[in-house]
Amino acid sequence: MEDSGVNKELIALKIAAYINNEVIIISILVIALPGLGDALMSTPMIKLLRKNFKDDEIEALTMQKATYEILETNPNLDNVYYFNFFKIGHFGSIKYLFESFRGKYDVSITIYPSYPKHYHVLSYLIGAKRRIAHKFNKGYFKEFHFLNTDLINAEEDKHNVINNVNLLKPLDIVISENEIKKMNLELYLTDEDEEKGRIFFEENGIDYDKAIFIHNGSSRVKKGSEKRRLPLSKLKELINLILRKDYQILFNIGPEEKYMKKFLIENFKSLIDKKIYLVEGFRIREVASIIKRCKKVFVTDSGIMHISAALGKETVCFFGPTDVRKVHPWNTKHEIITAGFECSPCYWHYSMREFECNHSEYKKNSEVFPCTEKIDIKKS
């Protein structure tokens, strides 16, 4: 990959400082408000940013704990901040932004997908001289996209990784899609994280060559996101299929999947801690350490899917209402399993506020969509 240039205005600052025998540090803030998976899909962009601003200050701001924990160990970032904007509310959030960030940065970059207005208002309140984000087909006025100084056209038929790297164009960092596709997601585990994974395997007597990780989950930040999960009947079928092949199952029980523990106990009680091991009570990087030691990962569209990709694991992905083109596992061996519905994906544009189904087979208020209910588990 050839070295890219950086924005001429920033170079001019550096040259002027050199002539005057001064040291100028460019300060850049990566605004990473979305969830775990979106943060991981921004890491190739962050790596390129560091490559081009080697001696400058690059920080990140997050509002979800898992996102913070994934980015806090990234060596391409000098500092990572976590603030729960949802919990604190408008007044407390504005106070925090003004006291901690206002006027501190030369450049801010809001990672993809930065559609809703709160992303752009936050960027404006932070007040970087250059505010870079995406421009979508909708929302320029309604969602306050105009509050940014530089807008890059979102290519909604392209993967999130590509859209994130394109955010660097206003800084004259431009590389081809072929070069982007050679870049991997970046995930850094500490020695303590690795030790947690090792101990979990040793204490449970799990065979690395027989360990299969299952995650049937999704963030519930956006209304209806749980419809991405497999229905419990399909999950039961998947577990039985894997057990018949004499594998051991490591089943993830995250904060959003606690109800599945009851399901597992009701249906597989005699196999718990013998063939099925519950992965619960771990921090997200510790979960990643466990995934790293598994032979294969079965997962729905979720942040865990992108952790699996970042670790280079063979991944089987079940997709229903979401767009495979944008979020499929990046640069790892994977298999996509869908029901093949012509109306899928029904959730394809970020202006949509919730997951809705208009398929004729969908029963109102059903816990599942037909596009997940009709998935053929045997294909996995």
Side-chain angles (χ1 to χ4, degrees):
M1 185 187 301
E2 296 182 359
D3 284 338
S4 307
V6 295
N7 187 269
K8 295 178 178 62
E9 295 173 17
L10 301 179
I11 291 176
L13 277 175
K14 293 282 192 179
I15 292 174
Y18 178 78
I19 291 173
N20 295 317
N21 199 29
E22 299 172 347
V23 175
I24 291 288
I25 301 296
I26 303 300
S27 55
I28 302 171
L29 180 67
V30 176
I31 302 175
L33 302 185
L36 166 62
D38 291 316
L40 279 167
M41 289 184 283
S42 75
T43 54
M45 179 270 287
I46 292 171
K47 186 174 184 177
L48 273 175
L49 194 60
R50 173 55 72 194
K51 180 179 180 181
N52 286 272
F53 291 90
K54 292 183 176 66
D55 301 318
D56 295 294
E57 185 176 70
I58 305 174
E59 300 183 326
L61 173 62
T62 69
M63 71 172 179
Q64 298 191 38
K65 192 66 173 178
T67 302
Y68 169 77
E69 290 177 0
I70 284 296
L71 291 181
E72 71 170 330
T73 54
N74 191 313
N76 298 308
L77 294 167
D78 294 299
N79 294 294
V80 181
Y81 303 98
Y82 165 68
F83 189 80
N84 191 334
F85 292 97
F86 285 131
K87 183 177 180 180
I88 302 303
H90 291 93
F91 179 77
S93 295
I94 292 171
K95 183 174 183 289
Y96 170 73
L97 292 175
F98 270 82
E99 290 179 350
S100 303
F101 297 96
R102 181 71 177 174
K104 180 181 175 182
Y105 299 96
D106 298 295
V107 179
S108 66
I109 302 171
T110 306
I111 70 169
Y112 190 81
S114 57
Y115 183 81
K117 62 172 66 71
H118 58 268
Y119 291 95
H120 308 291
V121 171
L122 182 144
S123 172
Y124 181 76
L125 291 175
I126 288 171
K129 299 178 184 70
R130 302 283 299 277
R131 300 181 295 279
I132 303 171
H134 278 103
K135 179 182 179 182
F136 293 80
N137 292 330
K138 303 177 181 179
Y140 181 77
F141 291 107
K142 184 179 179 182
E143 301 298 334
F144 298 177
H145 296 173
F146 60 85
L147 292 178
N148 299 283
T149 62
D150 298 85
L151 289 172
I152 298 298
N153 287 329
E155 298 183 72
E156 296 211 35
D157 60 339
K158 300 289 178 65
H159 199 280
N160 287 16
V161 169
I162 294 171
N163 274 293
N164 274 311
V165 171
N166 285 342
L167 284 168
L168 300 181
K169 288 180 179 180
L171 303 177
D172 291 342
I173 303 173
V174 182
I175 65 173
S176 69
E177 282 191 21
N178 285 336
E179 290 298 321
I180 297 173
K181 289 175 181 177
K182 295 176 184 177
M183 302 184 71
N184 296 319
L185 305 187
E186 303 273 319
L187 174 57
Y188 298 89
L189 304 180
T190 66
D191 291 341
E192 291 78 8
D193 300 328
E194 295 279 18
E195 184 70 0
K196 287 283 188 178
R198 185 189 64 78
I199 290 173
F200 183 81
F201 268 70
E202 287 188 1
E203 288 185 345
N204 290 289
I206 299 170
D207 186 337
Y208 291 86
D209 292 326
K210 291 185 176 292
I212 301 294
F213 193 92
I214 295 180
H215 177 70
N216 186 41
S218 61
S219 166
R220 299 191 66 175
V221 171
K222 191 177 289 292
K223 187 176 179 180
S225 292
E226 70 278 1
K227 302 296 176 65
R228 289 182 281 180
R229 302 171 182 174
L230 288 173
L232 295 181
S233 60
K234 293 292 180 181
L235 182 59
K236 183 176 180 179
E237 186 180 348
L238 174 64
I239 291 172
N240 281 322
L241 180 65
I242 293 171
L243 290 174
R244 282 197 295 271
K245 296 181 179 180
D246 197 33
Y247 285 108
Q248 297 168 304
I249 293 174
L250 285 66
F251 196 100
N252 191 49
I253 305 290
E256 302 287 351
E257 296 84 43
K258 290 187 180 298
Y259 73 95
M260 292 186 196
K261 182 176 181 179
K262 180 180 177 182
F263 158 79
L264 290 170
I265 292 172
E266 288 176 350
N267 290 274
F268 301 97
K269 184 176 182 179
S270 64
L271 297 177
I272 303 294
D273 295 332
K274 295 177 183 176
K275 282 286 189 177
I276 300 174
Y277 303 90
L278 304 184
V279 180
E280 60 178 336
F282 291 95
R283 297 177 65 200
I284 193 64
R285 288 201 314 271
E286 295 167 354
V287 173
S289 175
I290 291 170
I291 292 173
K292 182 179 178 181
R293 289 163 168 77
C294 290
K295 181 179 179 64
K296 200 170 184 178
V297 177
F298 288 77
V299 68
T300 48
D301 174 18
S302 62
I304 294 291
M305 179 181 74
H306 298 292
I307 284 179
S308 181
L311 295 169
K313 306 305 296 185
E314 183 177 352
T315 309
V316 178
C317 318
F318 301 100
F319 270 84
T322 48
D323 196 334
V324 174
R325 297 171 303 171
K326 295 179 182 179
V327 295
H328 64 77
W330 184 260
N331 267 8
T332 196
K333 183 178 180 182
H334 66 272
E335 180 182 0
I336 303 292
I337 299 177
T338 73
F341 280 33
E342 291 184 1
C343 58
S344 181
C346 58
Y347 186 88
W348 61 274
H349 191 281
Y350 288 106
S351 64
M352 300 169 70
R353 287 294 189 260
E354 61 184 79
F355 289 79
E356 295 181 347
C357 180
N358 296 312
H359 194 277
S360 59
E361 294 185 32
Y362 177 62
K363 298 176 183 178
K364 192 174 182 180
N365 298 323
S366 172
E367 293 183 2
V368 297
F369 284 171
C371 55
T372 52
E373 190 174 32
K374 297 297 177 68
I375 285 176
D376 185 356
I377 295 297
K378 295 184 181 66
K379 289 183 179 179
S380 62

